[in-house]
Amino acid sequence: MFLKGLNISELDRFLTQDILRQESSKSNGKKISYRTKQILKWVYSKFQDDPNLFSDISKEIRKQIAQKINFRSLELLEYKISQVSDSIKFAFRTMDKEIVESVLMKHPGRYTVCVSTQVGCNVGCIFCASGMFGLKRNLGSHEIVEQLFLIQKFVFERENKRISNVVFMGMGEPLVNYNNVLKAIEIFTSDWGFNISKRNVTLSTSGILPRMYDLIKDNVRVKLALSLHSPFQKEREKLIPIAKRYHIDEVLKALENYYLNTKRRVTIEYILLRKINDSVSHAKELVRILKRYNMRVLINLIPYNNIGNVYFEGILLEEPEISRIREFYSILKEHFEVSIRWSLGRDIDGACGQLRRKIISN
Ligand code: SAH
Ligand code: SF4
């Protein structure tokens, strides 16, 4: 039983039925017990997850809790502080010795953590380091939550600061690990958990169509970002192999539905690859197709971050020249909100999956 994979009612049930049997008569099964609240407060408000230090709980109960509940499942392996931007990349080791990475990005008034949801990824995007080894396994909800916990603890102890934003943009495709991601979102956004506003949580997907509709049905209401990368179905299929299964018109329709249901601005992510998808006709086609949908959209341009010598149909993957990026931006800007995400911390291998790859190959 992993503490950080339990929501308040699951923890309460476990505590009252399995551990505090002698106390459970006091709880009528509906009200959350005082013990449960105490423990959640230690973990998610004081960022203390060593049960021996829960000073307002008796020694005897602490001992039982520590025996039956696993409080930690990740170990901090290393962190690298970027010299060029205010970001820190963390590498964690799971109990089965897999590597999971997360990034902390500091902006004035806003601390954002980028979390991973899988070890590897089986979507297979040609430009992405996470997909290079395929999918090893899904992360459990406790492992997703623990990335945020350990980084929050790190900044709380050093700077007394709170994490305000979470983005699901690390290693893995969150919608392939749907249930665990949903549980993690619950823990991130509940008042008994990290209490982060759903508006400050962004989930990025390569377009797993049925799960995009599940997000609506399950009333998840976080911000949604779709990795589009090309306005042309045939080309998109080559960049993102899973796009063969889910047609571009269908995923954009799902995004529109998400917008109409939540009224939250949606994001289109577009990686810019030199001489592949950065032409004027790409930009114009992108404008044309997006205009068909009734949604408020932000287009986030992401200049490609180099992951080594990778070729696509004979062309080396490279970031476009600045002038190209600016031109692409201006065409879109006439019609939509647009931002350019200059990679934070290239010196710390800031792009998705890169740190793990380095550690593995060393
Ligand atoms: N699997 C999800 C979320 C994780 S990837 C998705 O694909 O949306 C998060 C973002 O990082 C995606 O938009 C992806 O295209 C981008 N990305 C991956 N590799 C990159 C690279 N080498 N350079 C720049 N962005 C990259
Ligand atoms: Fe997976 Fe996203 Fe990387 Fe594509 S970009 S391989 S979906 S993690």
Side-chain angles (χ1 to χ4, degrees), residues 49-144:
D49 63 347
D50 177 353
N52 296 314
L53 303 176
F54 295 174
S55 52
D56 52 2
I57 298 179
S58 77
K59 275 219 172 95
E60 183 48 38
I61 292 179
R62 275 189 251 165
K63 216 173 98 195
Q64 289 186 44
I65 293 173
Q67 272 168 3
K68 295 208 171 151
I69 300 183
N70 193 323
F71 280 79
R72 269 288 167 93
S73 56
L74 295 181
E75 176 199 345
L76 179 60
L77 200 60
E78 64 174 50
Y79 62 89
K80 286 192 196 170
I81 301 175
S82 169
Q83 301 305 312
V84 296
S85 70
D86 248 351
S87 51
I88 308 179
K89 178 117 177 178
F90 294 82
F92 301 106
R93 189 162 40 205
T94 64
M95 291 165 81
D96 58 348
K97 307 263 183 287
E98 296 295 347
I99 289 166
V100 173
E101 50 171 25
S102 329
V103 185
L104 167 69
M105 293 162 280
K106 300 183 190 178
H107 299 104
R110 175 163 55 98
Y111 273 29
T112 303
V113 171
C114 171
V115 294
S116 293
T117 55
Q118 299 182 306
V119 181
C121 181
N122 60 4
V123 173
C125 304
I126 56 146
F127 46 79
C128 176
S130 295
M132 283 190 159
F133 302 98
L135 175 67
K136 194 79 193 271
R137 68 170 175 87
N138 281 333
L139 291 179
S141 45
H142 57 286
E143 292 168 317
I144 302 173

Side-chain angles (χ1 to χ4, degrees), residues 127-128 169-170 172-173 204-205 227 229 269 271 302 304-305 307:
F127 46 79
C128 176
M169 293 186 184
E173 169 49 58
S204 169
T205 179
S227 292
H229 308 325
E269 288 171 286
I271 186 167
I302 317 170
Y304 168 70
N305 198 2
I307 59 162

Side-chain angles (χ1 to χ4, degrees), residues 198-226:
K198 283 194 171 180
R199 285 168 201 285
N200 293 346
V201 176
T202 303
L203 188 151
S204 169
T205 179
S206 56
I208 312 295
L209 188 65
R211 293 284 173 258
M212 292 173 76
Y213 282 104
D214 286 345
L215 288 175
I216 300 173
K217 175 172 68 63
D218 294 329
N219 200 25
V220 178
R221 299 188 70 82
V222 295
K223 286 210 263 177
L224 186 59
L226 172 67

Side-chain angles (χ1 to χ4, degrees), residues 272-284:
L272 283 167
L273 302 160
R274 180 169 179 262
K275 293 201 166 150
I276 294 173
N277 67 355
D278 64 342
S279 72
V280 168
S281 56
H282 278 87
K284 287 189 171 158

